[in-house]
Amino acid sequence: MIIFLYGPDTYSSRQKLREIIEEYKKANPDWLNFNKIDAGNSEINILDELRRVVDTVSMFGNKKLIIIENIFSASEDIREKVSDFLKKKNIEKDKDITIIFWDEEADAKNTLFKFLNSKAKIQEFNYLRGFQLKNWIKNYVLRYKGKIENSAVEKLIQYIGSDLWRM
């Protein structure tokens, strides 16, 4: 299975990523087959690391969770090779491997994006605006058993905008 989380609202996309990881932890308490690859780190060979993780046979038969961050900061050549590797391995149909691509930006014109768009479960995270942002603020405050007036919500939006990290 392949999941693709991207968009400028990194607060919400990180929350979603944490939820998926927590679900994986519950199902796999030994936590042996979890790997994170930062494609923005120029010191690692992303494709070699991905091959190593995917091709390693687990003695315990657990499901693998692989998170690849910042893949769109890698070169187009690397993105194409990753796309080709995933196609050859037919990863989207493998029930024992879940690969999550997380990125703040994504270029819809490149090969990897097109592949992910056709094979992955995609969730785009744009900044909240208007009614959605107001509801998010109110729900966040309520979650911590607080109260907030509408005028305070409006002031928060006026001064902070849609940046949920600052919010």
Side-chain angles (χ1 to χ4, degrees), residues 44-114:
I44 63 167
N45 183 319
I46 301 151
L47 187 58
D48 287 346
E49 187 68 13
L50 182 59
R51 272 192 191 113
R52 181 190 65 75
V53 172
V54 168
D55 292 339
T56 300
V57 178
S58 175
M59 290 180 7
F60 304 104
N62 294 350
K63 295 181 183 252
K64 295 179 184 180
L65 177 63
I66 304 163
I67 297 172
I68 301 175
E69 296 185 346
N70 307 311
I71 190 68
F72 290 96
S73 63
S75 71
E76 177 62 28
D77 181 52
I78 289 172
R79 291 191 307 256
E80 281 185 32
K81 287 178 180 176
V82 167
S83 178
D84 290 343
F85 174 74
L86 295 173
K87 285 176 193 172
K88 287 177 188 169
K89 289 289 186 176
N90 219 8
I91 295 290
E92 72 276 4
K93 294 181 181 174
D94 192 326
K95 294 180 182 183
D96 291 329
I97 299 175
T98 299
I99 299 179
I100 302 171
F101 287 89
W102 179 92
D103 214 313
E104 184 174 351
E105 300 176 14
D107 180 7
K109 297 174 187 168
N110 75 58
T111 307
L112 180 61
F113 185 90
K114 290 175 184 174

Side-chain angles (χ1 to χ4, degrees), residues 85-147:
F85 174 74
L86 295 173
K87 285 176 193 172
K88 287 177 188 169
K89 289 289 186 176
N90 219 8
I91 295 290
E92 72 276 4
K93 294 181 181 174
D94 192 326
K95 294 180 182 183
D96 291 329
I97 299 175
T98 299
I99 299 179
I100 302 171
F101 287 89
W102 179 92
D103 214 313
E104 184 174 351
E105 300 176 14
D107 180 7
K109 297 174 187 168
N110 75 58
T111 307
L112 180 61
F113 185 90
K114 290 175 184 174
F115 170 78
L116 293 173
N117 195 36
S118 67
K119 302 291 183 183
K121 293 181 180 181
I122 296 179
Q123 192 166 355
E124 183 177 7
F125 294 87
N126 290 309
Y127 288 118
L128 299 177
R129 304 250 187 253
F131 186 70
Q132 288 178 319
L133 182 57
K134 289 176 187 178
N135 278 343
W136 185 90
I137 294 168
K138 290 176 183 178
N139 289 332
Y140 189 88
V141 170
L142 284 173
R143 187 174 339 142
Y144 293 98
K145 301 189 181 6
K147 295 179 183 177

Side-chain angles (χ1 to χ4, degrees), residues 25-49:
K25 277 183 180 179
K26 287 177 186 172
N28 302 281
D30 55 16
W31 198 236
L32 290 174
N33 288 316
F34 172 78
N35 294 276
K36 186 174 176 183
I37 301 169
D38 185 356
N41 182 348
S42 60
E43 295 180 20
I44 63 167
N45 183 319
I46 301 151
L47 187 58
D48 287 346
E49 187 68 13

